[in-house]
Amino acid sequence: MKNIVAGILAHVDSGKTTLSEAMLYQTGRIRKLGRVDHQDTYLDTDSQEKDRGITIFSKQAELNFGDMHIALLDTPGHVDFGTEMERTLQVLDYAVLVINGMDGVQSHTETLWKLLERYEIPVFIFVNKMDMTGYDRVYLMDNIRHRLSDGCVDFLCEDSGEQIAMCDEAMLEHFLETGANDEQDVVNAIAGRKLFPCYFGSALKNEGVSELLDGMNRYVVEPVRGEEFGARVFKIGRDDKGERLTYMKVTGGVLKLKDVLTLRNSQGEDSHEKVNQIRVYSGAKYDMVDHVTAGCVCAVPGLVNTYGRQGIGACPDGELPSLEPVLSYNVMYPTDVDAVTMVSKLRLLEEEDPQLQVQWNETAGEIYIKVMGQVQLEVVAQMVRDRFGIAITYGQGRISYKETIAAPVMGVGHFEPLRHYAEVHLLLEPMENGSGMCFDSICSEDVLDKNWQRLILTHLQEREFRGVLTGSPITDMKISITAGRAHQKHTEGGDFRQATYRAVRQGLMMAESVLLEPVYAFKIEVPQEYAGRVLADIVKMSGTMDGQEISGETTVITGHAPVYTMREYYSELTAFSRGTGRLQVDIDGYQPCHNTEEVLAERHYDPELDRFNPSSSVFCAHGAGYLVDWYDVYENMHVKEDPGFEISGQLGYTEDGDVTDIPVNRPGKSVSDMSITDEELSEIFARTFGGDYKDKDVALNGRFRRTTSEYKVNGTSGRGSDGTAGNGMSAGAAGTSVQSEYRGGARYNRSQSRDRQPGNGPFVGSRPADRGIATPGAFKRRKSGEDYVIVDGYNVIFAWDTLRELSEHNIDSARGKLMDILSNYQGYMNCKLIVVFDGYKVKDNKGERFPYDDIEVVYTKEGETADAHIEKLTHELARKHKVTVVTSDGLEQIVTMGQGAIRMSSRDFKAEVERVNEHLRENYLKND
């Protein structure tokens, strides 16, 4: 007997569950036909499924027909539960696609068809509700062939033999010679997805169902199964008692009771768990068996380290799902429930539906989940109420964006704290829309050993990388290893993980980023009198119209529109059409965002403050590691010869636009070899700060901006003599206005990067900074407001020799002297300056805060250290302002960095102050 796993798929309300019921009745599995509207179907057993009249969770039924045993999987049809349906596809041998004869092929039907094509699943088509439709079979077949495939053939029509033969050249030759089709050829054509049998009927009236079953029994062939044990997990669930169930299909060999399974998690770690029970479900009931053979579906209770699409034994992991939620909602829970408890409960639901992607922002105390739509939101809320007794609501929903890049770019990551070493070079290239992520290596094994390259590829695939515009996941990108370096003694596996992560991030910071938003493919049906209003609304929603048809008094409009603008349109359509309008939407991938600047302003994401995704690299000198910012990594990288820079077009340029070598110091040169003339120094300085290096005003401001202030382009981002970069564009603008040769529209004008004038920025590694930092789309800070400098008063006093000596005689004099110095400094730099002094040991001290000239002086209260107060200030200010903390306390530096501030040692600050004083003396006091 053939063991077949078959799934039933359809757009909602096509009669899919009714067809499952009819198939079970025809094969004798049930004695009475249930109905969805009567809430007594065999497979819709959940209370919410009965109440809503839709399938929410995939269910299994076992049936026998002819010489065929079918494990039938009924999947959800509603678009909100498409991820549940897609997980089931990974274990199907065949599928039955149900089409509503009243509507024909709909947008979601086409989505299902694409998924079936992606997973290479042979398909039988059943056109349902033929007892109600006003269309004939010829019209419907034309519709199906036009929108799905020319290989769709009505197997019960008179000339089906010739149409079947047309799907394959060899079959056509055989048919012309013999006048008939060879049955084995038909079986092979169906299995090879060249031919798709179509049947017509009414599942509710049990018409055409026996013909479908006969066709499946005749033309279905069991795939070749391996002898070695293998299984694929497609679903995690829980029974009525709350016990965890792992649903899997055995793809090879035999699964036996008491077998010990080796389970590998997503991090590549193995665990071993015993099979203590095997259940074969059919509807709500199950049979306990001692073994299952290949081609069967079962549930194993008690397993802990399993997840959807997981491969066990000889079976590899399944593909990542292509359907993804596009809406994110803040979960609002009762005040008597703590956040940890709430997150743990939601994590249980996330095991069953990984696409919920529960996110917990511990700092803000907020919990977010991702969903496909409003119906899923309601279902999740009801599940939390039923299972855990917690009533939840939701805050305002947000769109789930993605990011990509417009042109190739090199990313370099270096990780070299003491006794560690790894450097990774990656080429990031944009790909076609909807391509997802792809990883490769073009690095020679003479440059980096194969084992290290494999390790880097593993690290690239093990996590979801975030973009630098909004922190959204990146997509449509190919990342290739171009070069790297390991140390024979000091390199460990974790070193390459850090270097890889930093290389990706550094490349994204240097790239022209593009923000992507999800779009709906829509179908709107309205009376002709409302068609003009709908067309105007589509334009208002930044949508596009693909087609318009008039059928009687009804106008059918199809097209695409952003989810952001169309998600609330259903209620508006219902209101102005007085309930006569119909709207069908289906997620249709991602496109460049229509309102990038608005989204960036709303998100306030600063990639340099994202401590979970560092873009800097760690280098080592004099036995200690130190950080190098992303824009300086090219200049400090150890591997100089890298073909990736040429591939990506990242070459240096002269003022005349001629291509030069990558401007980095070559190995083997001594310090004495690297001499530089005064003229060259002036030129380099002009590129960096926009003026003469002998001009102290330019030099001082340029250095300070790079250390403690924002990088500004036209007042917002970049680097230059006044913190600007002349010809720069904002990063957000690049997402909408910059079109490259790699992503839609006109070719990228590379000469824009060569037309460099003084003030446009320095060379950064192998590319001019105006290409990588300022224009046309590299990272920029998007913070408004003033700069803050917070000074740890006593730390500075005891770090500066003159103040320390003064404090030994009179601490008040030292404090006063420091405040005078800081006041002068603040007046010159025009920043907000706060100096904090410890008062935590002073008994009954309530603390004090007062102005001193234009600075603010703080004495902490009893029991509060200056470190604690500075940490609190940093937390409050760093969200909206650029904050620099001056202290030599190592622990405090780490804490303030974690809060998003820039750290400056007391010694460096002294040098900064001395430059200010020198400049004041030379440029102002002399003039007096």
Side-chain angles (χ1 to χ4, degrees):
M1 180 172 285
K2 299 179 288 189
N3 282 332
I4 300 297
V5 180
I8 297 188
L9 296 84
H11 179 61
V12 67
D13 292 334
S14 295
K16 170 183 55 59
T17 301
T18 305
L19 177 60
S20 301
E21 200 79 7
M23 293 174 70
L24 292 169
Y25 180 77
Q26 285 276 357
T27 57
R29 184 71 193 189
I30 58 176
R31 297 182 179 179
K32 179 183 176 183
L33 281 169
R35 290 182 54 150
V36 173
D37 53 345
H38 293 171
Q39 300 186 0
D40 61 352
T41 59
Y42 185 78
L43 291 174
D44 284 349
T45 57
D46 186 85
S47 59
Q48 289 201 73
E49 293 178 320
K50 293 179 179 180
D51 293 340
R52 295 177 180 273
I54 60 174
T55 300
I56 298 174
F57 310 102
S58 59
K59 298 290 196 322
Q60 174 185 352
E62 299 288 311
L63 55 91
N64 294 311
F65 187 82
D67 65 344
M68 176 177 60
H69 172 79
I70 301 178
L72 187 67
L73 301 180
D74 186 20
T75 65
H78 197 286
V79 65
D80 279 16
F81 307 102
T83 56
E84 173 85 359
M85 173 273 302
E86 186 177 4
R87 283 190 293 274
T88 306
L89 296 185
Q90 303 205 25
V91 297
L92 298 186
D93 299 321
Y94 286 83
V96 177
L97 180 63
V98 183
I99 296 176
N100 188 340
M102 299 179 64
D103 299 321
V105 176
Q106 299 171 284
S107 59
H108 189 59
T109 312
E110 291 179 303
T111 298
L112 296 174
W113 188 260
K114 292 175 184 176
L115 289 172
L116 291 167
E117 182 179 14
R118 179 192 182 196
Y119 293 102
E120 300 179 346
I121 301 172
V123 182
F124 288 77
I125 296 175
F126 185 80
V127 184
N128 195 22
K129 300 187 180 182
M130 289 301 292
D131 57 323
M132 300 175 63
T133 181
Y135 300 117
D136 58 21
R137 290 166 71 143
V138 175
Y139 174 87
L140 286 169
M141 278 307 306
D142 288 343
N143 175 253
I144 292 170
R145 291 170 66 89
H146 174 68
R147 299 188 64 176
L148 298 185
S149 171
D150 289 335
C152 299
V153 176
D154 183 353
F155 264 45
L156 299 181
C157 71
E158 295 180 359
D159 61 343
S160 62
E162 183 177 350
Q163 293 184 39
I164 291 171
M166 292 288 290
C167 74
D168 182 80
E169 187 175 340
M171 290 178 63
L172 180 59
E173 291 181 3
H174 184 273
F175 182 82
L176 293 175
E177 292 175 1
T178 64
N181 288 301
D182 181 78
E183 185 166 310
Q184 188 58 47
D185 288 342
V186 176
V187 170
N188 294 338
I190 295 172
R193 286 186 49 85
K194 295 180 180 179
L195 179 63
F196 306 97
C198 297
Y199 298 87
F200 292 76
S202 169
L204 184 63
K205 295 185 177 180
N206 209 10
E207 298 173 356
V209 180
S210 59
E211 287 83 355
L212 172 64
L213 287 168
D214 287 335
M216 293 181 67
N217 185 53
R218 181 177 180 181
Y219 298 117
V220 159
V221 59
E222 182 175 5
V224 177
R225 318 284 189 188
E227 296 183 2
E228 183 181 358
F229 169 73
R232 175 165 293 159
V233 177
F234 68 94
K235 177 181 175 181
I236 303 296
R238 280 175 172 77
D239 62 14
D240 295 338
K241 298 179 181 179
E243 188 169 13
R244 191 177 191 271
L245 299 175
T246 300
Y247 292 85
M248 64 179 72
K249 172 192 175 183
V250 179
T251 58
V254 180
L255 175 65
K256 301 177 182 177
L257 206 60
K258 302 303 179 182
D259 278 352
V260 176
L261 302 180
T262 299
L263 305 175
R264 174 163 294 183
N265 62 22
S266 55
Q267 284 74 42
E269 301 168 341
D270 289 343
S271 62
H272 305 281
E273 299 185 42
K274 183 181 290 188
V275 177
N276 292 315
Q277 190 181 93
I278 301 175
R279 302 179 183 178
V280 177
Y281 273 86
S282 189
K285 300 179 180 180
Y286 63 86
D287 295 323
M288 289 191 294
V289 297
D290 58 4
H291 73 280
V292 286
T293 58
C296 296
V297 174
C298 64
V300 179
L303 299 181
V304 176
N305 296 305
T306 52
Y307 57 90
R309 76 177 185 83
Q310 180 183 30
I312 303 176
C315 182
D317 285 352
E319 297 184 42
L320 290 170
S322 60
L323 296 180
E324 298 179 77
V326 296
L327 299 173
S328 178
Y329 283 85
N330 184 10
V331 178
M332 316 295 289
Y333 49 93
T335 54
D336 59 343
V337 178
D338 64 90
V340 176
T341 301
M342 191 70 250
V343 170
S344 65
K345 301 298 184 185
L346 291 174
R347 294 285 187 209
L348 296 177
L349 300 184
E350 186 183 25
E351 285 187 348
E352 302 173 28
D353 185 1
Q355 295 298 77
L356 282 178
Q357 299 179 36
V358 178
Q359 297 176 334
W360 180 24
N361 186 333
E362 297 184 49
T363 304
E366 297 174 338
I367 304 172
Y368 289 88
I369 61 172
K370 290 188 176 182
V371 295
M372 298 288 283
Q374 186 64 35
V375 176
Q376 188 180 8
L377 273 180
E378 297 171 3
V379 169
V380 170
Q382 186 64 46
M383 291 173 65
V384 172
R385 186 182 299 111
D386 293 344
R387 292 194 190 182
F388 313 122
I390 301 174
I392 64 172
T393 56
Y394 303 100
Q396 183 66 33
R398 301 196 309 176
I399 302 297
S400 295
Y401 294 92
K402 289 188 177 184
E403 297 179 29
T404 188
I405 57 177
V409 68
M410 282 297 298
V412 177
H414 188 94
F415 188 70
E416 190 188 0
L418 189 61
R419 296 187 180 88
H420 293 269
Y421 188 94
E423 182 166 297
V424 174
H425 292 208
L426 301 174
L427 173 63
L428 283 62
E429 299 174 281
M431 296 177 65
E432 293 278 334
N433 184 27
S435 301
M437 296 299 297
C438 178
F439 307 101
D440 193 14
S441 176
I442 57 175
C443 177
S444 169
E445 293 184 30
D446 295 333
V447 176
L448 187 65
D449 287 345
K450 192 69 174 179
N451 61 316
W452 294 126
Q453 294 187 38
R454 284 196 295 263
L455 184 60
I456 293 170
L457 289 173
T458 299
H459 294 325
L460 287 171
Q461 298 173 32
E462 70 189 7
R463 69 174 296 182
E464 184 177 63
F465 291 96
R466 300 280 170 173
V468 298
L469 295 178
T470 61
S472 302
I474 61 174
T475 188
D476 299 344
M477 201 180 302
K478 180 180 180 180
I479 302 180
S480 304
I481 306 169
T482 60
R485 181 173 292 177
H487 192 280
Q488 188 172 1
K489 180 179 180 182
H490 295 309
T491 298
E492 299 177 359
D495 299 345
F496 271 103
R497 173 182 282 112
Q498 284 290 329
T500 301
Y501 291 174
R502 293 169 189 270
V504 173
R505 191 68 169 179
Q506 193 266 350
L508 293 173
M509 296 288 274
M510 298 295 293
E512 303 162 22
S513 293
V514 179
L515 187 65
L516 305 176
E517 67 177 345
V519 295
Y520 280 138
F522 64 80
K523 178 181 178 182
I524 301 174
E525 300 180 29
V526 290
Q528 289 189 33
E529 60 196 271
Y530 300 115
R533 165 70 185 272
V534 171
L535 294 175
D537 288 345
I538 292 172
V539 174
K540 189 191 306 180
M541 292 185 294
S542 300
T544 58
M545 186 183 71
D546 297 340
Q548 181 178 357
E549 298 179 4
I550 298 177
S551 176
E553 297 182 354
T554 301
T555 299
V556 180
I557 302 170
T558 57
H560 292 79
V563 173
Y564 179 87
T565 58
M566 202 175 199
R567 55 179 172 165
E568 306 292 343
Y569 188 63
Y570 177 77
S571 57
E572 184 179 345
L573 175 66
T574 303
F576 74 71
S577 67
R578 300 178 183 179
T580 58
R582 294 178 59 189
L583 172 65
Q584 299 175 14
V585 296
D586 197 37
I587 299 297
D588 195 33
Y590 281 75
Q591 296 291 340
C593 185
H594 78 285
N595 60 336
T596 297
E597 287 298 326
E598 181 181 338
V599 174
L600 298 184
E602 177 188 341
R603 292 299 175 98
H604 296 294
Y605 177 72
D606 190 334
E608 284 196 299
L609 303 185
D610 188 343
R611 57 193 178 97
F612 297 107
N613 297 283
S615 56
S616 58
S617 284
V618 181
F619 288 79
C620 187
H622 308 296
Y626 63 95
L627 288 177
V628 172
D629 289 319
W630 57 273
Y631 45 79
D632 286 332
V633 171
Y634 286 167
E635 299 173 4
N636 292 271
M637 62 188 182
H638 289 181
V639 181
K640 307 300 184 182
E641 303 296 335
D642 183 352
F645 285 95
E646 184 175 354
I647 295 173
S648 64
Q650 289 179 264
L651 295 174
Y653 299 99
T654 66
E655 292 293 334
D656 297 328
D658 297 326
V659 180
T660 66
D661 292 332
I662 296 175
V664 291
N665 296 328
R666 300 293 176 184
K669 282 192 174 184
S670 65
V671 176
S672 60
D673 293 329
M674 294 186 288
S675 59
I676 188 168
T677 65
D678 194 66
E679 184 180 349
E680 290 171 332
L681 185 59
S682 295
E683 182 182 352
I684 293 171
F685 200 95
R687 291 173 180 170
T688 307
F689 300 122
D692 188 355
Y693 80 100
K694 295 179 180 180
D695 185 344
K696 300 294 191 302
D697 187 29
V698 173
L700 183 61
N701 278 291
R703 186 213 180 262
F704 179 78
R705 294 298 177 189
R706 180 164 175 169
T707 306
T708 62
S709 287
E710 298 179 359
Y711 298 93
K712 300 185 178 180
V713 178
N714 292 341
T716 56
S717 142
R719 287 188 289 176
S721 62
D722 58 350
T724 69
N727 300 331
M729 282 177 58
S730 68
T736 53
S737 63
V738 176
Q739 291 183 328
S740 77
E741 58 187 337
Y742 297 95
R743 193 172 189 87
R747 293 174 62 87
Y748 177 72
N749 184 4
R750 195 174 297 280
S751 65
Q752 292 174 354
S753 298
R754 303 187 183 189
D755 297 335
R756 303 175 60 253
Q757 301 296 330
N760 280 4
F763 280 105
V764 178
S766 62
R767 68 193 291 176
D770 61 340
R771 170 85 184 276
I773 293 178
T775 66
F779 159 72
K780 65 171 185 178
R781 289 184 177 275
R782 280 171 288 280
K783 290 187 176 181
S784 58
E786 300 175 275
D787 294 347
Y788 277 80
V789 178
I790 304 175
V791 179
D792 187 339
Y794 287 135
N795 188 286
V796 172
I797 287 175
F798 295 119
W800 294 8
D801 294 338
T802 54
L803 293 178
R804 185 179 68 252
E805 293 173 1
L806 182 59
S807 70
E808 293 174 357
H809 299 284
N810 190 317
I811 189 66
D812 291 334
S813 299
R815 282 197 299 262
K817 180 68 173 176
L818 175 61
M819 288 189 288
D820 288 337
I821 293 172
L822 296 178
S823 180
N824 290 336
Y825 178 80
Q826 184 277 335
Y828 180 84
M829 300 310 303
N830 193 27
C831 61
K832 291 285 188 180
L833 196 148
I834 304 172
V835 58
V836 182
F837 294 104
D838 267 319
Y840 75 104
K841 289 186 177 180
V842 181
K843 190 174 182 180
D844 298 327
N845 175 31
K846 296 182 180 179
E848 189 176 5
R849 195 181 194 122
F850 61 90
Y852 182 87
D853 290 342
D854 288 329
I855 70 172
E856 188 172 349
V857 180
V858 176
Y859 287 93
T860 63
K861 62 185 178 181
E862 180 184 7
E864 183 184 39
T865 64
D867 291 349
H869 191 83
I870 290 173
E871 182 181 347
K872 182 171 65 176
L873 280 176
T874 304
H875 179 72
E876 294 172 354
L877 296 173
R879 296 182 180 181
K880 297 182 179 179
H881 305 275
K882 184 70 173 292
V883 177
T884 301
V885 175
V886 178
T887 179
S888 290
D889 186 322
L891 180 59
E892 182 61 22
Q893 286 184 345
I894 294 174
V895 172
T896 54
M897 285 176 63
Q899 298 286 355
I902 294 174
R903 81 284 186 205
M904 180 185 289
S905 70
S906 298
R907 180 178 299 177
D908 287 343
F909 185 61
K910 181 183 179 183
E912 193 73 50
V913 170
E914 288 174 349
R915 290 188 183 91
V916 169
N917 292 337
E918 180 184 0
H919 180 260
L920 290 173
R921 285 193 299 270
E922 292 186 2
N923 291 274
Y924 297 98
L925 297 180
K926 285 183 179 181
N927 295 333
D928 294 338

